[in-house]
Amino acid sequence: MYTVIIYTFNRHDLLLRAIDYYQHFDCDVFIADSSDSKLSYKFPDNIIYKHFPRPAALFAEKIYETAKSITTPYVCLVPDDDYLLESSLKLASCFLDDNQDYVSAQGKYYKFELIENQVTFSPRYDLGSTHYAVESEDRLSRLARAFNPYFHQIYSVHRTDVFTKTWKFDCSVCKTGSYKDFALDEFLVQLVPMCHGKHKVLPILWMVRDYYRFDHTRHKTEVDKKHESSNPISYYYKQLTAIAKTTKIFLDSEDCRQLKKSFRDTISDLASNKESDALFDTAFQSFYKWIISERNKILAKLITKLLFPKWALQYYKKRIEKQYSTGIDTVYENDFVKIR
């Protein structure tokens, strides 16, 4: 029913660990590797390795080229440091089989860390992500909902035809040079599917991420670390302000106009040029509003920190953390054991 695509770049140590895990899946697993050197390895029978040396192949291009080889009705993209549960992949694929108006589905995300020599699991995203769904009947409402509040859909299980069409669009944008930011990939791969159908987070454990290796805070500059440790709330407020500013500049740029044209061509079978432009504008405007609302929440935290005593804030934080993590070890215990 499904195929898995693992993408990687210059992290063959993580890739080997992923191969060791995914070789037990009862499906084909494609590896899209754009590392400087090709991996010499005796791959298991279900692993198909493809090397796309850079700079010949960008991120979107290697995903699209891999997607064109897939013959199963469903496909799921995963990074080399994420561990997907096959039982959940089966459930999500069956969900899409039974609900033809949905184009993608996913579950709950967790992370694992090494704390005092013990592998510890905890939720990866906030409580709102566990109930995330985009289920409006019309495209315009779906686009507005999908980006405000925003939650990524890139690592969901997708219908292969829509997935391939999406990455073809992403790839065409890369080739025209309309954008150069990797982070926009996550945004764009959500844009086309939401024109085709609905999306849902199911009440299942989807995958866990290696947060020990993934944690970007260890890779920040000393200046960034100093600012973040001295006042983390203020630091994130400035980050969101920068994202809002970048988004606003992009919306008024020639790059954005080229991107809108590519989007128009991609969904020409679904919408007229006028409707396509309305969908595009709605998505980006919704995303911008979400960034501003997130920034306002940070501002509210700054004000709260000034008004309330430290002990009261710590008590509230512990209550929220307890509510968030209650029962996770027992609900997904067998899954965590398998991944550990």
Side-chain angles (χ1 to χ4, degrees):
M1 289 180 69
Y2 46 79
T3 301
V4 173
I5 299 176
I6 302 172
Y7 69 86
T8 186
F9 172 64
N10 283 347
R11 304 204 301 186
H12 283 169
D13 56 334
L14 289 181
L15 179 59
L16 289 171
R17 189 175 65 174
I19 290 169
D20 187 54
Y21 178 79
Y22 286 102
Q23 68 175 322
H24 303 291
F25 275 42
D26 186 24
C27 69
D28 284 338
V29 178
F30 283 81
I31 295 173
D33 182 10
S34 53
S35 300
D36 296 332
S37 59
K38 188 176 181 179
L39 178 63
S40 297
Y41 186 75
K42 184 175 172 54
F43 295 98
D45 292 341
N46 70 323
I47 305 289
I48 299 105
Y49 178 81
K50 290 176 173 285
H51 186 233
F52 302 90
R54 296 179 71 176
L58 297 173
F59 177 69
E61 291 178 293
K62 70 178 182 181
I63 303 302
Y64 174 56
E65 289 301 319
T66 305
K68 289 194 295 185
S69 304
I70 294 173
T71 57
T72 55
Y74 306 114
V75 59
C76 185
L77 181 69
V78 295
D80 55 17
D81 56 359
D82 279 15
Y83 297 87
L84 175 68
L85 279 171
E86 187 172 20
S87 56
S88 296
L89 187 53
K90 289 177 180 176
L91 287 171
S93 298
C94 289
F95 173 83
L96 293 180
D97 248 6
D98 295 337
N99 298 273
Q100 293 297 316
D101 51 340
Y102 285 77
V103 292
S104 53
Q106 58 189 333
K108 300 177 183 179
Y109 290 79
Y110 282 72
K111 60 184 178 183
F112 64 85
E113 302 169 272
L114 192 64
I115 300 175
E116 297 180 354
N117 210 31
Q118 177 68 38
V119 178
T120 304
F121 293 90
S122 58
R124 173 68 183 89
Y125 300 106
D126 61 31
L127 276 171
S129 66
T130 63
H131 308 293
Y132 178 83
V134 182
E135 300 178 299
S136 302
E137 295 298 331
D138 66 285
R139 297 186 189 100
L140 200 67
S141 299
R142 282 201 299 271
L143 265 297
R145 170 65 184 87
F147 294 98
N148 186 16
Y150 174 79
F151 183 62
H152 69 80
Q153 301 174 17
I154 188 171
Y155 303 128
S156 310
V157 60
H158 299 265
R159 297 191 186 276
T160 302
D161 55 346
V162 178
F163 180 87
T164 306
K165 183 178 182 180
T166 297
W167 285 97
K168 184 179 181 181
F169 161 64
D170 204 357
C171 189
S172 68
V173 175
C174 286
K175 288 179 178 177
T176 60
S178 294
Y179 75 92
K180 305 170 184 65
D181 184 7
F182 170 81
L184 197 56
D185 274 309
E186 287 197 9
F187 186 98
L188 295 183
V189 298
Q190 204 153 309
L191 199 57
V192 175
M194 290 299 89
C195 295
H196 283 266
K198 304 173 185 177
H199 175 84
K200 188 175 181 66
V201 172
L202 303 173
I204 54 178
L205 174 60
W206 190 242
M207 62 167 70
V208 296
R209 172 162 296 174
D210 179 354
Y211 206 68
Y212 179 76
R213 287 290 300 264
F214 172 79
D215 188 2
H216 56 84
T217 56
R218 289 198 306 280
H219 304 296
K220 289 178 178 173
T221 64
E222 291 303 316
V223 175
D224 282 342
K225 287 178 181 178
K226 184 178 179 181
H227 287 319
E228 187 172 0
S229 59
S230 62
N231 194 338
I233 299 177
S234 177
Y235 175 82
Y236 289 122
Y237 178 82
K238 290 176 181 177
Q239 274 195 325
L240 289 169
T241 299
I243 294 171
K245 184 179 179 181
T246 303
T247 305
K248 194 73 173 173
I249 291 171
F250 177 76
L251 289 175
D252 294 327
S253 68
E254 179 59 30
D255 284 348
C256 183
R257 284 185 280 276
Q258 288 185 37
L259 180 59
K260 185 184 287 191
K261 183 179 182 303
S262 296
F263 178 67
R264 196 184 298 157
D265 295 339
T266 301
I267 66 163
S268 59
D269 58 328
L270 295 176
S272 64
N273 288 349
K274 185 178 179 180
E275 185 185 353
S276 172
D277 289 350
L279 293 169
F280 183 93
D281 291 339
T282 296
F284 273 92
Q285 288 165 7
S286 293
F287 180 74
Y288 180 76
K289 288 177 183 177
W290 176 73
I291 290 294
I292 296 300
S293 68
E294 290 298 296
R295 190 184 66 176
N296 291 343
K297 288 177 187 177
I298 296 294
L299 184 60
K301 285 184 179 180
L302 281 169
I303 296 170
T304 303
K305 193 175 181 181
L306 292 171
L307 294 178
F308 289 87
K310 190 175 181 179
W311 67 266
L313 294 174
Q314 288 178 336
Y315 174 76
Y316 177 74
K317 184 180 179 182
K318 287 180 180 178
R319 284 285 301 271
I320 293 296
E321 288 176 347
K322 185 177 180 181
Q323 176 189 355
Y324 194 16
S325 60
T326 298
I328 64 168
D329 290 331
T330 54
V331 173
Y332 300 122
E333 185 175 359
N334 291 337
D335 295 326
F336 289 149
V337 169
K338 184 185 298 183
I339 293 166
R340 184 184 287 115

